[in-house]
Amino acid sequence: MQTDLSRKLGIEHAIFGFTPFPAVAAAISRAGGFGVLGAVRYTAPDELARDLDWMQEHVGDRPYGLDVVMPAKKVEGVTEADVEAMIPEGHREFVKETLGKYGVPELAEGEASGWRITGWMEQVARNQLDVAFDYPIKLLANALGSPPADVIKRAHDQDVLVAALAGSARHARKHAEAGIDVVVAQGYEAGGHTGEIASMVLTPEAVEAVAPLPVLAAGGIGSGQQIAAAFALGAQGVWLGSLWLTTTEADLHSRALTAKLLAAGSGDTVRSRALTGKPARQLRTEWTDAWDDQDGPGTLPMPLQGLLVADAVSRIQKYEVQALLGTPVGQIVGRMNSERSVQAVFDELTSGFERAIDRVNRVAGRD
């Protein structure tokens, strides 16, 4: 699976794997792909440094990257406390009532929430970059559009490629105009924040919009056959995220959640604002239904919603409250029906890719 982009980065397969777990990112790179560590959960720079140290020890000489969340526009002087103060009391009461309805216990006294969305705030992301640029990362990806211009320049000064996710051809063109190097065309089927255009439509539109910049196809991809289709649509690689959640290297801290993912079908996800305030595809649960109910208070804009539900999500996860337990995941969850190592996933992807190419060659009379 070689393309101009994969050769430039020195990887064997043009498979880019996004994950919040260092062990998964390192395994992706070792398997011949390109591991991308999600940084949004790191609220303290020393935590990120610790895991990047671990990555350095476990990737060998293989390249890897980092994914941050930075708005293109800077808001000066806003602290987490300022944002917390903007949350209406009625929304806090709704969270309390919903958790009470399902008997979700409180966290122990003095126990802090393990799930915060402060990583969505620009200064937190900038602190992450101050750490990351001390490591030999080869790619910096931003999940909220193009990073600020000074961040792009800083990356380029250190020979780091910059990628940005796009949900439409218009977004892709804006990224190209901003000076990014790689567009990740993320379709409607993807886990996490998505737009409303499906991958089969979006990928060729993005390729045409930003040519000759490389485009990675994302959303609904979980087999070698789909990777071959992405290449046929003009992509120079694929960006996979959800597929790694049920690998043996992943650390979801919840057997119940892993079991829900393994049992879920492709129709068991929903795009909901319940988690962050922006539409994000995730497992459909009683929690997402409550927030999407017209009789409820409705969700708040980012980052208010993420801060509002942080403690609640931690409690749901800690006590594994089945009806409410969920996670961001794409429609490809319907294929995620067994726990396998990252290497086993790669073996299946590459063999499926080979079968797809052979099939196309036969159709084209090249066999």
Side-chain angles (χ1 to χ4, degrees):
M1 297 186 196
Q2 285 287 301
T3 65
D4 289 344
L5 180 59
S6 67
R7 283 187 283 269
K8 184 173 185 176
L9 288 168
I11 58 177
E12 183 179 357
H13 304 297
I15 298 174
F16 294 72
F18 164 78
T19 174
F21 307 117
V24 176
I28 291 168
S29 290
R30 290 197 307 271
F34 190 93
V36 181
L37 179 64
V40 71
R41 68 190 182 93
Y42 295 99
T43 57
D46 60 329
E47 295 173 352
L48 178 59
R50 176 202 63 208
D51 281 358
L52 288 177
D53 284 338
W54 189 94
M55 288 276 293
Q56 280 293 108
E57 294 174 3
H58 290 82
V59 296
D61 59 353
R62 303 299 181 95
Y64 63 94
L66 192 74
D67 180 280
V68 298
V69 179
M70 286 188 100
K73 296 181 179 179
K74 183 178 179 65
V75 180
E76 298 282 359
V78 177
T79 67
E80 182 180 345
D82 295 331
V83 177
E84 288 269 15
M86 300 176 190
I87 297 173
E89 189 59 34
H91 282 73
R92 296 187 188 277
E93 283 298 316
F94 181 75
V95 170
K96 183 178 179 180
E97 291 169 5
T98 303
L99 295 179
K101 177 181 177 181
Y102 292 92
V104 183
E106 297 276 357
L107 294 175
E109 185 175 352
E111 183 178 0
S113 166
W115 190 89
R116 300 296 285 172
I117 294 294
T118 52
W120 300 107
M121 302 178 71
E122 182 185 355
Q123 189 53 54
V124 175
R126 286 185 175 275
N127 291 341
Q128 293 166 349
L129 293 180
D130 288 340
V131 172
F133 284 131
D134 286 335
Y135 293 82
I137 62 171
K138 299 299 182 185
L139 178 78
L140 173 67
N142 189 45
L144 280 184
S146 303
D150 67 297
V151 172
I152 296 174
K153 182 180 184 304
R154 185 178 179 188
H156 287 166
D157 287 346
Q158 297 193 209
D159 295 324
V160 175
L161 298 182
V162 179
L165 274 65
S168 69
R170 179 176 60 86
H171 292 157
R173 280 190 290 269
K174 285 187 175 182
H175 295 339
E177 292 166 1
I180 63 94
D181 307 290
V182 181
V183 170
V184 180
Q186 180 171 273
Y188 171 88
E189 309 95 325
H193 296 114
T194 70
E196 298 183 352
I197 304 174
S199 299
M200 183 63 75
V201 174
L202 175 62
T203 301
E205 287 186 347
V207 168
E208 182 177 344
V210 301
L213 282 183
V215 171
L216 302 179
I221 301 173
S223 72
Q225 292 88 337
Q226 291 168 313
I227 294 175
F231 286 159
L233 295 173
Q236 285 205 30
V238 292
W239 178 276
L240 310 182
S242 299
L243 193 63
W244 316 110
L245 289 173
T246 52
T247 57
T248 54
E249 292 90 345
D251 187 12
L252 288 177
H253 299 294
S254 171
R255 292 304 303 170
L257 180 54
T258 298
K260 288 190 78 169
L261 289 170
L262 294 173
S266 56
D268 292 329
T269 68
V270 63
R271 284 173 76 244
S272 170
R273 298 177 184 268
L275 192 62
T276 68
K278 285 184 177 292
R281 186 171 296 284
Q282 54 203 279
L283 281 179
R284 183 176 181 178
T285 66
E286 296 293 331
W287 179 255
T288 61
D289 285 352
W291 283 104
D292 294 337
D293 192 325
Q294 292 184 348
D295 293 332
T299 56
L300 298 170
M302 180 185 281
L304 299 181
Q305 182 71 15
L307 289 170
L308 168 66
V309 304
D311 286 342
V313 171
S314 287
R315 289 164 60 185
I316 292 167
Q317 291 177 346
K318 176 177 179 178
Y319 298 110
E320 298 187 327
V321 182
Q322 188 72 15
L324 306 179
L325 188 63
T327 186
V329 69
Q331 291 180 329
I332 200 63
V333 71
R335 294 185 63 92
M336 296 158 49
N337 48 27
S338 65
E339 290 185 80
R340 298 169 296 162
S341 68
V342 168
Q343 184 62 63
V345 172
F346 260 82
D347 291 343
E348 183 176 284
L349 292 175
T350 53
S351 62
F353 177 80
E354 291 172 357
R355 290 194 300 272
I357 296 301
D358 288 343
R359 187 180 306 118
V360 171
N361 282 334
R362 287 196 298 273
V363 171
R366 298 193 184 99
D367 189 8

